[in-house]
Amino acid sequence: MLRADNMQPKSPFKDHISEVLPAPFPLETQDHTATTNVNSQFKEQRFSPPAAKKDLADIEYVAEEASNHAAVDVYPPPYEYKDTAAAAPSSTGEYADDNLSPATKLKRRLEDTKELIVCPGVYDGFSARIALSVGFDTMYMTGAGTTASKLGMADLGVASRTDMKEHADMIANLDPTKILIADMDTGYGGPITITAAVNQYIRANVAGFHIEDQLLTKRCGHLAGKKVVPLDIYLSRIRAAKAAKDNARSDIVLIARTDANQQLGYDESVTRLRAARDLGADCGLLEGFKNKDEARQAVKDLAPWPLLLNIVENGHSPLITVDEAREMGFRIMIFSFAALTPAYTAIKQAYEKLKGEGVTGIQGSGISPRNLFDVCGLGEAMKVDENAGGEDFKGGV
């Protein structure tokens, strides 16, 4: 086995690489008989050079966050090799995209169709499994839900880049053929840190992400008191994210988000999104529409650039249905609290009943542990064991 340090270019951070990884395959000096069908689900081979780690001050953000330092992962992620033959339109006009990465699927659905892509919000592996079980092929990993479920805290910018990347990686690879759009908050620092975040999301099989213009000490987009950075800093974030995805030759969809509507108004929000669009962002997100007319006007003002609509029931924006959003011309629609709020309601009800009556009330639901495990891939896991010649599940479970 070749050592990674025999293959990697010299790096100024070489002394900080904490582990030596095996050389990426395929190599002519390696036996790849066992790797013939690697990533056969979408025929995408990924090289994973080691991540250099070093504490650096994000100089451009000293005035904004004097204490902001970040671990840096500046190596570009693996290049995406795609089967171009599979990308040709079929006789029905639809793309035969089973062999494409989720990022490429999302990119082409935005470019080549006029459909509205509806994404339920998921906040952990279980909610993602439920979304997949009812037939969704696109999902949205909510930052608020990740912060609540992973950290047990309010969405006040406390989730780190590592928290978000690890969560996205787990969810995106429950079924690596499906599309996951993930929150990237502010990018977690200056251009160096943003580059690292984009590279990590690409490696994690995330199909798209949004990055916003709030201060690093941000908060949920549906709380009062939001503040945004100056336009030039916002655009530096977009430039860094765009350069990172381009350097990686990745189709990951860059969604430019602005939260300026609350503080600076609609016109400034549109100005920021137009500037982000001109820098090469693939899609826009204007957070916090004040009414439906404003949402409709944003689509017109930024056409034909695709816009994402974030729906947060009982938040600061009006409730817009899927049919209304489609008629307005939005291209992606995310329901950030679609899982978190119902989960809170149901869990709280069961706990209150247990506290007051000594039972949970779920006995008559008909839902057994086996039912829940089936949703979480029990059948697929048993099949893996059987196909490998295992006998652990011959007698059933």
Side-chain angles (χ1 to χ4, degrees):
M1 182 70 73
L2 298 178
R3 288 168 58 89
D5 54 1
N6 290 332
M7 298 189 58
Q8 298 301 329
K10 290 184 178 180
S11 163
F13 306 142
K14 186 170 185 289
D15 293 339
H16 296 269
I17 298 175
S18 59
E19 64 178 311
V20 177
L21 303 178
F25 64 89
L27 294 173
E28 293 186 356
T29 56
Q30 291 178 299
D31 176 9
H32 17 221
T33 58
T35 62
T36 304
N37 295 319
V38 169
N39 290 333
S40 61
Q41 285 181 307
F42 45 86
K43 295 181 181 177
E44 182 178 324
Q45 294 178 341
R46 293 176 175 272
F47 296 170
S48 298
K53 301 290 184 180
K54 184 179 175 69
D55 287 333
L56 296 175
D58 290 325
I59 302 301
E60 294 189 25
Y61 283 77
V62 168
E64 177 182 333
E65 286 290 324
S67 63
N68 176 43
H69 291 72
V72 178
D73 182 6
V74 292
Y75 281 104
Y79 294 156
E80 296 184 1
Y81 292 89
K82 304 176 184 69
D83 184 345
T84 54
S90 68
S91 60
T92 62
E94 297 177 351
Y95 280 95
D97 61 3
D98 286 346
N99 294 322
L100 299 176
S101 71
T104 301
K105 291 178 186 179
L106 178 59
K107 180 174 184 284
R108 295 189 178 185
R109 285 169 71 173
L110 285 174
E111 291 178 346
D112 301 335
T113 78
K114 294 185 181 300
E115 69 171 305
L116 173 62
I117 301 167
V118 178
C119 306
V122 297
Y123 62 86
D124 65 357
F126 188 52
S127 59
R129 285 285 195 180
I130 295 172
L132 294 171
S133 75
V134 301
F136 281 103
D137 62 357
T138 56
M139 299 179 291
Y140 170 68
M141 187 193 85
T142 155
T146 297
T147 305
S149 64
K150 188 176 178 69
L151 303 177
M153 299 185 71
D155 185 11
L156 299 175
V158 296
S160 69
R161 171 164 58 98
T162 299
D163 292 328
M164 297 293 284
K165 176 266 176 187
E166 289 179 349
H167 222 52
D169 194 339
M170 177 270 295
I171 293 171
N173 289 289
L174 293 173
D175 182 340
T177 68
K178 300 298 189 271
I179 290 170
L180 178 71
I181 298 172
D183 192 345
M184 196 185 278
D185 296 313
T186 62
Y188 314 107
I192 297 171
T193 308
I194 291 168
T195 298
V198 173
N199 289 343
Q200 289 178 321
Y201 274 40
I202 293 170
R203 289 195 186 99
N205 197 37
V206 172
F209 66 91
H210 62 73
I211 185 169
E212 69 195 49
D213 56 358
Q214 285 199 63
L215 300 178
L216 293 179
T217 51
K218 60 151 289 176
R219 62 191 63 186
C220 172
H222 289 260
L223 294 177
K226 294 187 297 182
K227 295 180 181 178
V228 296
V229 297
L231 177 61
D232 60 336
I233 294 180
Y234 174 51
L235 296 184
S236 77
R237 294 176 182 177
I238 302 300
R239 287 191 194 94
K242 179 67 164 62
K245 72 187 285 291
D246 288 350
N247 289 339
R249 298 178 187 155
S250 170
D251 283 338
I252 193 169
V253 172
L254 165 57
I255 302 164
R257 165 174 161 169
T258 180
D259 286 73
N261 200 17
Q262 184 183 97
Q263 179 186 359
L264 304 176
Y266 175 81
D267 290 342
E268 175 63 18
S269 299
V270 171
T271 296
R272 288 179 174 226
L273 289 182
R274 282 176 175 157
R277 176 195 63 190
D278 294 345
L279 289 176
D282 301 299
C283 183
L285 164 54
L286 199 163
E287 181 67 8
F289 289 117
K290 296 183 175 69
N291 51 62
K292 292 183 180 182
D293 289 339
E294 201 172 64
R296 188 185 305 275
Q297 188 61 44
V299 176
K300 294 178 180 177
D301 288 342
L302 292 158
W305 196 46
L307 285 190
L308 181 154
L309 175 63
N310 182 22
I311 293 298
V312 176
E313 296 87 347
N314 305 310
H316 284 185
S317 293
L319 177 62
I320 297 174
T321 68
V322 169
D323 288 341
E324 287 175 322
R326 185 180 292 113
E327 184 272 328
M328 289 177 182
F330 284 97
R331 296 302 315 284
I332 304 175
M333 192 175 189
I334 59 176
F335 289 81
S336 297
F337 284 72
L340 193 62
T341 301
Y344 165 74
T345 302
I347 293 170
K348 184 171 181 285
Q349 181 179 355
Y351 287 174
E352 286 176 341
K353 194 172 185 67
L354 177 60
K355 178 75 171 174
E357 302 177 25
V359 293
T360 62
I362 64 176
Q363 179 64 31
S365 68
I367 300 174
S368 68
R370 171 64 190 264
N371 297 142
L372 297 177
F373 298 152
D374 282 340
V375 172
C376 292
L378 175 61
E380 293 90 335
M382 293 170 63
K383 196 71 175 174
V384 168
D385 185 79
E386 178 185 344
N387 291 341
E391 299 184 355
D392 285 349
F393 300 99
K394 268 194 169 181
V397 291

